Amino acid sequence: MNISPVALARIYEEDFKQDMAALKVLPPTVYIRVTDNIPQIISFIKTIIASGQAYATSQGNVYFDVKSWGKRYGVLTTIYPDTQDEAADTDKRHGKDFALWKAAKPQEPSWASPWGKGRPGWHIECSTISSAVFGKQLDIHTGGIDLAFPHHENEIAQCEAYHQCEQWGNYFLHSGHLHVKGSQEKMSKSLKNYITIKDFLKKFSSDQFRMFCLRSRYSSAVEFSDESMDDAKHLLQAISSFIRDGNAYIKGQLVCDPVREDILWERLANTKVTVKAAFADDFDTSRAVAAIMDLIHHGNRQLKAVTKDAGFPRSSVVYGSIISYIEGFFNALGMSFGERQVALGGGDSAVLSNVIDELVRFRSKVRHYALALPEEAAEAVPVEGAAGAKGPKQEQKERRQQLMQERKPLLEACDSLRGDLAAFGIHIKDRAAVSTWEIVEGGQAEQQTEEKS
């Protein structure tokens, strides 16, 4: 391949940034490359050697002296230098000593150092750069469970030796592996059992992936499959549907029986307590999401639509509070509900949203005209004394049937439009007074149990 290692790295770096943006992952405050910090890494290693915790060899390698660190090594994963010893490399003092600097090999990138040409070890890169950014202590350190040993264990040893501190990292959060369903192996490029982010986003959305992740503890292994992604998609649809219905109720578009506000206020308060406790318990997102879905369940139970408005006062404040809390919860987790612009996407999304509003409003007017009977149809009275005159009920029935037959094509056109829009993920809900619409992510809108017009 006729390309320099630096140029090749930049290609993958930009590709990674694009994938993270597509998943709606916020970018870091600063990007720092190892290749831009070689002098800082060399200085870091020299300090550890001076403190007596590392040594250079005649072959140009530098190793951390694990035994010199005593019982302080292995605290994170309870692996100690006097157990499970490995066969030592030719220039190592002890089997568990790990490389801070590796002597150059043919055709590998290398840099000049006091120990000869070479490159940094795996662990020292992270220790040096994190220390340059955060100083002598980290509060929270994250990574996959497979990095706990040796990577994080060695980072701790290096940093505490360099900074001469008692505790470098306060908390380590280790995420579980992502498995392909039916396999015990983690999803990995080296195993060729992976799905690229670009291919994934052709079928699912970033919000659906977030919901898939939120349904499990971050520390647990999780199985990826189309079924698990469909479950996440259905949860998102249930949340979106509740928010739309709740807003329709607040606006008077959805007419319901009186609402038991006391029950809903209590449920909302209990949900807030449960969610806070779940996040305080090692970020238990699965329990927090379950509490939100339970709140939605009870909110939906109260939204019982009726055909006639009896004039009862609406409980707008409690539903507004519930919707605001749910949207705030998911917004904090990088997910959006209720904003059609987000679902529609693109620079012209606001215009497209207004166009759909007008289209649905026009369809609603046509539908209501087709369903309404003129006054004379209900008040038709036969001429008194006329021979063979039909009774008023019979004439009213025949007149109704005639009008329904004449206006049937209008209702069929309304149904056809609703079905056509559903194919593009736009779901129209016909209510007593007006019709509303929502975006159903993932293509074809699922058919609802509500009756067609």
Side-chain angles (χ1 to χ4, degrees), residues 294-405:
D294 186 63
L295 176 63
I296 288 174
H297 168 71
H298 287 282
N300 276 328
R301 288 181 62 184
Q302 298 267 10
L303 289 178
K304 296 178 181 177
V306 294
T307 56
K308 186 176 181 181
D309 190 349
F312 295 116
R314 293 195 300 276
S315 302
S316 301
V317 176
V318 67
Y319 272 96
S321 298
I322 291 173
I323 290 171
S324 177
Y325 176 72
I326 291 172
E327 289 182 338
F329 172 87
F330 286 107
N331 284 340
L333 297 171
M335 302 162 68
S336 300
F337 294 93
E339 292 185 12
R340 289 172 179 163
Q341 287 82 353
V342 174
L344 292 166
D348 298 325
S349 59
V351 174
L352 181 56
S353 177
N354 290 332
V355 169
I356 298 175
D357 278 337
E358 291 300 321
L359 177 62
V360 172
R361 192 175 293 117
F362 175 76
R363 176 187 172 277
S364 182
K365 289 179 180 179
V366 172
R367 181 173 175 273
H368 285 155
Y369 168 77
L371 290 172
L373 288 176
E375 292 295 326
E376 56 268 22
E379 297 175 359
V381 179
V383 178
E384 189 175 347
K390 298 176 182 177
K393 288 186 178 180
Q394 181 63 23
E395 285 204 2
Q396 180 179 345
K397 181 179 179 181
E398 290 179 0
R399 176 63 174 155
R400 177 185 287 271
Q401 289 174 343
Q402 180 184 350
L403 287 172
M404 288 176 65
Q405 192 64 30

Side-chain angles (χ1 to χ4, degrees), residues 41-50 52-66 89 91-94 96-104 113-124 154 158:
I41 293 173
I42 291 172
S43 176
F44 202 96
I45 294 172
K46 289 169 70 175
T47 300
I48 298 176
I49 293 175
Q53 269 75 52
Y55 58 91
T57 71
S58 59
Q59 296 183 24
N61 296 308
V62 179
Y63 296 100
F64 188 94
D65 187 348
V66 171
D89 287 355
D91 61 344
K92 280 185 181 182
R93 291 179 183 172
H94 312 290
K96 281 193 166 51
D97 292 350
F98 57 89
L100 304 182
W101 186 265
K102 293 188 175 184
S113 80
W115 317 288
K117 291 182 69 68
R119 61 180 176 84
W122 170 27
H123 320 293
I124 199 68
N154 293 348
Q158 292 169 159

